[in-house]
Structure formats: structure tokens, C-alpha cells
Amino acid sequence: MNSITNILMEIEKKPFLFFKEKDLRLLHCFIDGYLTCEYDNNRNESHMLFQSFRKYFQGIYGLSTRCWSSILRQESQSEEEAFDKFFELFNAFLKSQSENGAVTDKN
């Protein structure tokens, strides 16, 4: 697994070590910051992973120009529910990647 995946797994297990509350907006900001840092340091593994995740997400929710986090928040009753839905979808995505033989381990 690449490092963003490892970090996300830790966040899923112990979200309150990373955030004050389970809030998808905070998670989205964290992910964007991580991806920006990797991009600035000429590392693209996580960008490629999240591009694949966006395609997977769009396959479930239909093609949209809206951000995945906006759609999840709209489909959820609370930020906490949206936070948990993200991890359900992300874990399903990782499982589909491993079943399809896609390489997500670049670290």
C-alpha cells in the first residue's frame, strides 16, 4: 500500500487521534494537503490512486463534476455519517483494486 493508504487506515481506526471529530470536510482537507505535498515533492503515487478512486466513485454515483466529498455529504445525514461512508467506499475501492490486480502499492 502507498503511504496515503496507510495513513487513511490509521485515521479510520483512530480518527480522534487525527481530528477533533469525525468530519468529512476535515478529512478532505487532510487528503488534499497530503496530495499537494506529494505533488510538490514530485511524488505522484497517491494522485494516481485518488484519480482511480474518483473514477470508482463516479461509477457508483454517476458521472459528476462535483467533488466526491460534496456528494457524500449530500447523501448523508451528518458529517460523521459521510466520514464513515468515505471509508466504506475507499475500502471497497481498495478491495476492487486488489481483485483486479491493480497496483496500489508504490511505497
Side-chain angles (χ1 to χ4, degrees):
M1 276 179 239
N2 73 29
S3 49
I4 186 73
T5 304
N6 291 335
I7 292 169
L8 288 173
M9 289 179 151
E10 289 301 314
I11 291 171
E12 181 182 22
K13 285 187 231 172
K14 299 177 182 177
F16 299 108
L17 289 177
F18 296 86
F19 306 114
K20 182 175 111 174
E21 57 191 331
K22 289 170 100 178
D23 186 318
L24 188 64
R25 288 175 295 189
L26 298 174
L27 180 62
H28 188 178
C29 289
F30 176 85
I31 292 169
D32 280 353
Y34 189 95
L35 295 176
T36 299
C37 181
E38 277 203 348
Y39 180 80
D40 288 347
N41 289 288
N42 297 317
R43 297 187 62 208
N44 293 317
E45 296 91 16
S46 296
H47 278 281
M48 292 185 299
L49 179 70
F50 268 85
Q51 284 177 350
S52 295
F53 175 68
R54 279 189 210 74
K55 289 178 185 174
Y56 175 84
F57 185 88
Q58 289 172 341
I60 293 171
Y61 285 92
L63 292 176
S64 173
T65 56
R66 291 183 45 220
C67 176
W68 56 265
S69 63
S70 296
I71 294 169
L72 283 177
R73 282 199 306 276
Q74 181 181 350
E75 298 289 322
S76 302
Q77 298 295 319
S78 67
E79 284 294 324
E80 182 173 350
E81 183 183 333
F83 184 95
D84 291 337
K85 278 186 181 180
F86 166 80
F87 283 106
E88 288 174 25
L89 285 167
F90 191 70
N91 288 327
F93 161 72
L94 292 176
K95 184 178 178 185
S96 76
Q97 292 290 292
S98 65
E99 290 171 354
N100 293 331
V103 177
T104 58
D105 187 358
K106 295 252 180 176
N107 193 14

